Every structure is written in structure tokens, then in C-alpha cells.
Amino acid sequence: MAAETKLTFVANDTLYLPVTWKETNGDPYDLTGYTAKLTVKSSYAAATPLLEVTGTIATPASGQAIFEGTVPSAAGRYVYDVEMKSVSYTKTILRGVFEIQPEVTSA
């Protein structure tokens, strides 16, 4: 089962989200051969994502993927998930509410 976590960001900020997948014993899952994807949508049924980011897996043995990009400008409450995928296995490891708060300081 995927872990449920609420994520909160400020509109137009830099997105930096490190995510580590761990075995049930606490050891990092080896991500050799895996890809990682973060998807944010207005609802689970929405056809078009608000944001999609492919994670960087620099050291597969660490179990960590890092998602980097720009937080969308549309403030609101959305849903997201993080999916790890290999040729033969797909696992959603994290999901929940993705909240974007409005900016106070404008450019």
C-alpha cells in the first residue's frame, strides 16, 4: 500500500522533492532499472495532469528519486502520486493531497 502524505508548496516556487523507497525491513529498495514519476491532477479521474515530473535516480542503491521543477501557478488542492516502474513491476509508493498556496511576493 502506498504511503499517504500531504505535500504543501507555494505557487511558482522551485519544486525539490526527494523520495526514498524502502523495503519492509527499512533498507533502501534498489532502483536499478526503474524510472520514477510524480503526477499531480485536479482529481483522480482527471485526464490531464497539472504537473508531471520524471525523477532523477542518481544512485539506484540509495532507493532515492529526486523530483525537480517549478510548482504550477494555480493555487488549490490537488491529488498526486509517485510511481516507480521497471520493465516488469509498477508500484505507487506515495500519494495524497498536493496543496499549492498562493504567492505573497510577486515578481
Side-chain angles (χ1 to χ4, degrees), residues 31-106:
L31 297 178
T32 300
Y34 277 80
T35 58
K37 186 162 82 170
L38 164 69
T39 303
V40 179
K41 292 182 175 184
S42 59
S43 70
Y44 290 108
T48 305
L50 176 72
L51 176 68
E52 276 189 319
V53 180
T54 299
T56 300
I57 302 171
T59 309
S62 72
Q64 186 177 73
I66 297 175
F67 300 93
E68 297 181 274
T70 301
V71 177
S73 60
R77 289 174 58 91
Y78 304 94
V79 294
Y80 79 95
D81 68 17
V82 172
E83 184 178 88
M84 301 294 192
K85 187 172 187 173
S86 71
V87 172
S88 60
Y89 189 71
T90 300
K91 177 74 174 174
T92 300
I93 64 164
L94 189 63
R95 64 185 298 184
V97 173
F98 191 98
E99 182 175 353
I100 301 175
Q101 298 177 342
E103 295 180 89
V104 174
T105 303
S106 59

